[in-house]
Amino acid sequence: MTTILVTGGAGYIGSHACKALKAAGYTPVTYDNLVTGWRDAVKFGPFEQGDLLDRARLDQVFATHKPAAVMHFAALSQVGEAMAEPGRYWRNNVEGSLTLIEAAVAAGCLDFVFSSTCATYGEHDNVVLDENTPQAPLNAYGASKRAIEDILRDFEAAHGLRHVIFRYFNVAGADPEAEVGEHHRPETHLVPLMLEAIDGQRDALTVFGTDYDTPDGTCIRDYVHVCDLVDAHVLGLGWLEQDKGSRVFNLGTGSGFSVREVIDHSRSVTNRDVPYVVGPRRGGDCTKLVSGSVRAEQELGWTPARSNLSTMIEDAWRWHRTGHYES
Ligand code: UDP
């Protein structure tokens, strides 16, 4: 079986990727420092604890497992934190990824799938965001991801590192079998915070700003189901295996929903009230981030079948009620 090194395999998206990889016949080896990930989320293949900045440990893991490709999810990924602590973001995300990329090249592992973000685009008023939209990130998180994209291009030119870059829009939902799910400490994402408020685990959700230039004043995002998102990664591996060349793909559905619309859907899916209060804007948030691209559908044959709000919230709600990690 072909082995894939999955950095961040103990995290939200990485753990779902490991499940999808195993189902597709690969052996996913998780490499994770467990700073934000969960040992309990590593269920689908071997686990190697280590940090992206630890080159010796990376060399050892490449030598032991001889992966055919890397799927690189490990990153700090919170906009608020990135605004407050940009140094941590540059060091962990950029220096960490550079260390990983150098280790991969040294080991002769030249297929690389990278999780980037729509936060690399920044604010573009009423412009459809496709893969050719100029990147002008508003925060250190988006900037760090854009820098890694540049590193991948340079390493392709110099060392033949073939790569697929996925720019995610807003990832939500959970494994419908609730084997893995979203679990951040502290939680900062809209859907899980809302479910905690619905369930009485927090007093209320705070809506970050109702004075944006959108129909209801709240920010608009393009939500993608985590299972659809990781399916695209498996297709991306196939793309590299078929030697189709390096490529960037947006992963979004093209439909935007406001924070208020997400609240309304959650009310109808859970049949419960959503306690919320209105607060000020959160620094670094863009008004609207919606993908205007069908490249992944047309070229990769990707079908985001579960990416409607009701299914995403239903799956997240199931995980919220039945799944959890102890450590
Ligand atoms: N949001 C909110 N309250 C929260 C968390 C998020 O109003 O407690 C809003 C946030 O301003 C953004 C959207 O929900 O417009 C999605 O935010 P999230 O942090 O989930 O993802 P991001 O867009 O930062 O990747």
Side-chain angles (χ1 to χ4, degrees), residues 170 188-190 193 205-208 219 221 259 282 285:
N170 282 63
T188 64
H189 293 103
L190 178 62
L193 284 175
L205 172 78
T206 302
V207 174
F208 293 143
C219 288
R221 295 287 181 273
V259 174
R282 179 175 67 175
D285 268 344

Side-chain angles (χ1 to χ4, degrees), residues 216-244:
D216 66 22
T218 63
C219 288
I220 293 178
R221 295 287 181 273
D222 182 338
Y223 292 88
V224 191
H225 196 296
V226 64
C227 292
D228 290 338
L229 187 97
V230 299
D231 283 351
H233 289 64
V234 177
L235 293 168
L237 267 187
W239 174 277
L240 291 172
E241 284 163 2
Q242 291 161 45
D243 224 354
K244 291 186 168 174

Side-chain angles (χ1 to χ4, degrees), residues 115-121 135 141-142 145 149 166-169:
S115 55
S116 187
T117 168
C118 64
T120 61
Y121 293 122
Q135 291 172 289
Y141 167 59
K145 291 284 187 173
E149 292 191 10
F166 288 115
R167 294 189 188 136
Y168 306 166
F169 285 69

